[in-house]
Amino acid sequence: MPPSVPSLPRRVARTLRTSLFAQVLCALVLGIVVGKLWPDTATAFQPLGDGFTRLIKTVISPLVFCVVVVGIAKAGDLKAFGRIGVKALIWFEVASTAALVIGLVAANVVGPGKGMNVDPASLDAAAVNQTTGGGQLPSTTEFVLNALPESFVGAFAENELLQVLILACLVGAALLHLGHTKVPKILPAIDQAQEVIFTVVGFIMRLAPIAVFGAMAHLVGNYGLGVMKTYAKLIVLCYVAAALFVALLAVALRMVTGLSLWKFLRYIREEMLLALGTASTESVMPRVMQKLRRAGARDDAVGLVLPTGYSFNLDGASLYLSIGTLFIAQAVGVDLSLDQQITVVLVLMLTSKGMAGIPGSAFLALSATASSLGAIPAGAVALLLGVDRIMDSMRVVTNLLGNCVAVFAVSRWEGALDIERAKKVLDGETAAEDPEGGDEPVPAEVPAQKTKETVADAG
């Protein structure tokens, strides 16, 4: 007898039970429906998304520390790690500047704010202060000083990724200097702690559908779908410009590594959908780090490039800031000259680097840009209050893909990427370890990847 085929309801139930992607997708749709039908009740679900994000944030700092320390120790070459950092910063600056320029060109061509004729006096500047909590972006000097830890524990307690990275680099360098014979138990302990943290991430990820439902229900219930009609031209322009930038990322990835961005997007579809639902790239950082390592990127490259990119490579935010600046200028009837637009790019190149982790950072950066020009009333930034959350999806996707492409590109540039393994994983030929359990096949040896015994030779 031919084997019986499960009925459609059973297949659907099995998919929902086993696929995180299907669970998150259903939660996303359900959150939109609940937010639309019962907006007053839906706003009460926000703690579901916030609670999940807080749980994820608790493991990010120790995970980054462990991955970087183990990566440096296994690579056995501190100079190579320094080269990775320099190359990453070069890539970040080129990518974010390209995003800013694309945004300015798109806003000039389309003119999303033209014809609005808004009176700046009619705008509520206090609403911007309420959104930002009266904060301000750090100066360049403050940004550099804030990146230096004041205490070892404080960096972890305050979840300061740049400070944790510096501490991890120092510890990794110390392990290389002392050698495996002097501290034989430290590296295995950190390596085991890393595995424990990844297991904890697997447990937390089971709550992802609940988090997506709560975040999406709150978003739709609080802001509604009507705002999309009012700002349709601006929204469409931002998303089209983001699509163009992602296409350029795909070309760059293909030219540098020979890999397909579409296949990679399919590979991280669960993480991407979760990031969209929670409007946070931090919520998926641990899982993305895991998948990049499985796809052939060396530990030290993943551990340094991805977390650093969360502070230095906000491509989606850069795109939005450049378009937003011209939008508010056009809306209040200010015609910016070419020199002023070049000033916009230069100012945003600086302000966008200090945005990560600051409440209302987009409005702070826009206000700083408006103030530097002197031609745009700072209160005009309030024009974007209603549409800002709608842009979260664009910023999240572009930021996350930009940072992942940076990991692959810099890894390839440094010779820290196993291209054959990457192609097999993205093609689905090599089974990847289930984050919630299961064994991963032993991968082919990564070029330039050294074993733990290498540490003994470094001393």
Side-chain angles (χ1 to χ4, degrees), residues 28 216 219 239 242 272 275-277 279-281 316 388-400:
L28 193 70
M216 190 54 58
L219 173 63
Y239 277 84
M272 187 63 70
L276 284 171
S280 169
T281 53
D388 184 67
R389 288 301 299 271
I390 306 298
M391 300 300 184
D392 278 343
S393 298
M394 179 275 290
R395 291 193 293 251
V396 163
V397 170
T398 312
N399 288 344
L400 185 57

Side-chain angles (χ1 to χ4, degrees), residues 152-199:
F152 200 100
V153 176
F156 291 88
E158 297 173 8
N159 223 19
E160 295 287 349
L161 279 187
L162 290 180
Q163 295 183 13
V164 171
L165 272 174
I166 290 175
L167 290 173
C169 292
L170 292 174
V171 173
L175 285 177
L176 285 178
H177 179 73
L178 292 172
H180 187 62
T181 55
K182 293 184 179 179
V183 283
K185 297 181 180 180
I186 296 296
L187 184 60
I190 296 176
D191 204 358
Q192 291 168 9
Q194 174 181 282
E195 296 305 317
V196 170
I197 295 170
F198 274 127
T199 303

Side-chain angles (χ1 to χ4, degrees), residues 63-65 67-69 71-72 78-89 92 161-162 164-166 168-169 285 289 293 298-312 403 406-407 410-411:
L63 178 61
V64 169
F65 178 82
V67 169
V68 171
V69 171
I72 293 176
L78 196 59
K79 290 183 179 179
F81 194 73
R83 289 196 304 269
I84 291 174
V86 172
K87 291 174 181 178
L89 291 177
F92 293 158
L161 279 187
L162 290 180
V164 171
L165 272 174
I166 290 175
C169 292
M285 182 194 282
M289 290 180 71
R293 293 164 69 212
R298 208 167 65 194
D299 285 5
D300 52 344
V302 175
L304 179 61
V305 178
L306 190 66
T308 307
Y310 271 59
S311 293
F312 285 91
N403 286 323
V407 171
V410 173
S411 297

Side-chain angles (χ1 to χ4, degrees), residues 18-59:
T18 59
S19 171
L20 180 63
F21 178 80
Q23 294 169 5
V24 172
L25 183 61
C26 288
L28 193 70
V29 174
L30 186 60
I32 293 173
V33 172
V34 171
K36 177 64 176 176
L37 297 180
W38 301 283
D40 294 335
T41 305
T43 56
F45 291 114
Q46 183 181 8
L48 297 178
D50 292 345
F52 176 82
T53 303
R54 292 182 67 168
L55 283 174
I56 286 291
K57 284 184 176 181
T58 59
V59 299

